[in-house]
Amino acid sequence: MQKITQEVMSRIEASQGSDVVSAMQKIAMQVLKDGVSCDEDFERLVGAFDAQRRTLELMRLLAGATAGVGQDKVDALKVAVDFTQETLDMGVSHVLQVIAERSIASESLRLDLDSLVKVVSDSFDGNVTFGNLNYDSLLLASLTSGFGPKLADMASGYEKTVVTINGISETFPSLRKSGDFPSDRRILLLQLHGCICFWRDRRQGVTAKLSTDIVRDPEIWDAVRSGDTNIRPMVVLSSRHDKAQQVLEQPFNIAYEKFRESISTSNAWIVIGYSFRDAPVNELLRSEFLKRSNKPSVLISTYGTDLARVAVEQAFGWGAEDGSSDSWLTISRDGASGLEKSVEWEIFMGK
C-alpha cells in the first residue's frame, strides 16, 4: 500500500503539480482522526474526496429545499460537487491504474497462488466462497484458470451490456443485479469492494465487467481523468465511515449479502492478509461469529507480528472472559505463500 500510494502521489504531482498533492493531503487530513496520516495509505488520501463529495451533494440538496436561497447558490454548489467528483476520479484512476500495471503475476507467484486456491477449494466438501477485498484481478485469474465451469463471480453469465470506450462499442458481461448465482457452481468469488474490471456507465446507468486487457490500456485511464468518457470504475474507495454507506449500493450489497449467507453456513473460515480495519467486513464477521454456539474454525494468515492475537479475538467479539481461543483460532505469520504446506494449516484442518 505504501509503494502504491507513493507512486500515485508521484503521478499526480507530475501531471498536476506539487501544490495539488499538498492540497489533497491537507483536505484528507480534515476527515482523518488526529495523528492518522494519509502519506502511506491511498484509501485515506483518495477516499476523503468521496466523503467531501457526499457532504457537498447534501448541501446542494439543502440549498435547493431552503426558502430564500437563490438558484445561483444551488448552481455554485453543483460546480463544487462536480469539481470534487473530478478530483475523486483523478485519484481513483491513478490508484487503479497503478494496481492494474503491477498486478501481473510472475510465473512463480502465480504457481503459489494457484496451489493455494486449489488446496483450499479441494479440501472441503460442498461450496467454497472467496470474499476478496483487493481491487486487482489476480485471484480471479487463478480461479478461472483452475476451476473454469465450476466458478461463478459477480458477473452474470447470460446478461450482457454494451459499453462504449473511446468511441468503440463492445459487449461485456453485466454485473449481477440480484443474488442470482448459479446453484451448480461450487466455487464462488465475491469481490466485496469491487475490482479494476468493474465499471459503470454513468449516463446509461449500466454496469459491466470489462476484460483485463482493456483496463491495462493507459488510454482508458487517461479518458477518465480528462472527462472524455462516461464510464467509471466501480470500487469501494472511501473513508472508513463512508464505506459503510457505499457497500449498501449495488453491486457491493449483493456481494455482502451472499458473503454473509456463505459464512453463516460454513464451519471453516480462512482469513488471508487482512488488517481487520474495514468496519463493514468486521461487522459481518463479528455478527456471524457471535451467532454461532459452535464456533467455526478460523485460520488467520498474516505476515510478521504486527497483527496481535488479542486484536483478532476482539475483532471477532471474543473477550478475556471467554477464555482461551485455541479451540477455534489458528494464526500463521509466514505469509500466504506456502500456507497450505504449513504446520498451522495442519492444525487448522485438524480442528
Side-chain angles (χ1 to χ4, degrees), residues 3-4 9 52 144 163 198 203 213 254 293 296 333 345:
K3 290 181 179 179
I4 292 173
M9 293 169 68
Q52 298 287 355
T144 301
V163 177
F198 291 4
R203 180 171 295 175
D213 289 341
I254 296 170
S293 54
R333 299 188 179 277
W345 175 265

Side-chain angles (χ1 to χ4, degrees), residues 24-36:
M24 290 180 68
Q25 290 174 308
K26 291 176 181 178
I27 292 171
M29 291 301 293
Q30 295 298 312
V31 299
L32 296 175
K33 295 181 180 179
D34 292 341
V36 178

Side-chain angles (χ1 to χ4, degrees), residues 15-294:
S15 62
Q16 302 290 331
S18 59
D19 289 346
V20 170
V21 174
S22 177
M24 290 180 68
Q25 290 174 308
K26 291 176 181 178
I27 292 171
M29 291 301 293
Q30 295 298 312
V31 299
L32 296 175
K33 295 181 180 179
D34 292 341
V36 178
S37 173
C38 63
D39 292 346
E40 299 180 352
D41 190 332
F42 63 77
E43 286 189 343
R44 290 168 175 162
L45 176 69
V46 176
F49 288 88
D50 185 57
Q52 298 287 355
R53 179 191 61 78
R54 291 170 184 265
T55 299
L56 285 169
E57 179 62 26
L58 292 174
M59 290 295 292
R60 185 185 70 82
L61 294 174
L62 173 63
T66 302
V69 175
Q71 186 62 39
D72 58 331
K73 292 184 175 64
V74 177
D75 292 342
L77 283 167
K78 176 64 165 59
V79 172
V81 170
D82 290 345
F83 175 70
T84 307
Q85 182 65 62
E86 290 169 6
T87 306
L88 177 62
D89 287 343
M90 176 189 66
V92 170
S93 67
H94 277 301
V95 168
L96 297 182
Q97 184 176 5
V98 171
I99 291 174
E101 293 170 355
R102 297 187 176 188
S103 60
I104 303 174
S106 65
E107 184 175 351
S108 60
L109 289 176
R110 177 64 185 272
L111 288 175
D112 286 346
L113 181 58
D114 288 352
S115 174
L116 177 58
V117 298
K118 178 170 175 48
V119 170
V120 168
S121 301
D122 291 347
S123 295
F124 303 96
D125 296 328
N127 298 329
V128 177
T129 297
F130 291 85
N132 191 17
L133 296 178
N134 292 347
Y135 305 125
D136 62 52
S137 59
L138 290 173
L139 181 57
L140 170 62
S142 187
L143 288 171
T144 301
S145 173
F147 296 96
K150 298 179 182 179
L151 171 69
D153 68 354
M154 292 300 297
S156 173
Y158 58 88
E159 187 175 351
K160 306 297 180 182
T161 295
V162 177
V163 177
T164 301
I165 304 171
N166 295 331
I168 301 174
S169 296
E170 296 188 52
T171 301
F172 300 96
S174 302
L175 295 182
R176 298 184 190 277
K177 299 181 180 67
S178 65
D180 59 339
F181 294 91
S183 58
D184 60 340
R185 307 291 180 95
R186 68 174 294 263
I187 309 297
L188 184 60
L189 172 60
L190 301 172
Q191 285 136 321
L192 300 174
H193 289 174
C195 174
I196 57 173
C197 297
F198 291 4
W199 290 67
R200 181 193 299 277
D201 187 314
R202 289 179 176 173
R203 180 171 295 175
Q204 299 181 39
V206 297
T207 59
K209 175 185 170 185
L210 307 188
S211 67
T212 54
D213 289 341
I214 287 178
V215 298
R216 287 182 178 139
D217 185 343
E219 288 189 6
I220 195 171
W221 304 108
D222 291 340
V224 169
R225 290 189 284 271
S226 64
D228 292 335
T229 179
N230 292 319
I231 63 171
R232 294 293 186 278
M234 296 187 65
V235 293
V236 176
L237 187 46
S238 305
S239 66
R240 295 188 189 184
H241 173 268
D242 287 298
K243 277 184 179 180
Q245 296 300 314
Q246 202 168 353
V247 299
L248 299 177
E249 302 168 2
Q250 189 269 342
F252 312 114
N253 60 336
I254 296 170
Y256 267 78
E257 289 168 8
K258 189 63 177 180
F259 188 64
R260 182 184 294 277
E261 176 187 322
S262 295
I263 66 173
S264 70
T265 58
S266 172
N267 292 319
W269 299 1
I270 304 172
V271 183
I272 299 177
Y274 177 51
S275 61
F276 288 91
R277 74 175 199 179
D278 276 294
V281 177
N282 289 350
E283 187 281 328
L284 191 155
L285 291 173
R286 184 186 301 109
S287 63
E288 292 302 321
F289 181 84
L290 292 176
K291 288 178 183 177
R292 310 279 287 272
S293 54
N294 294 321

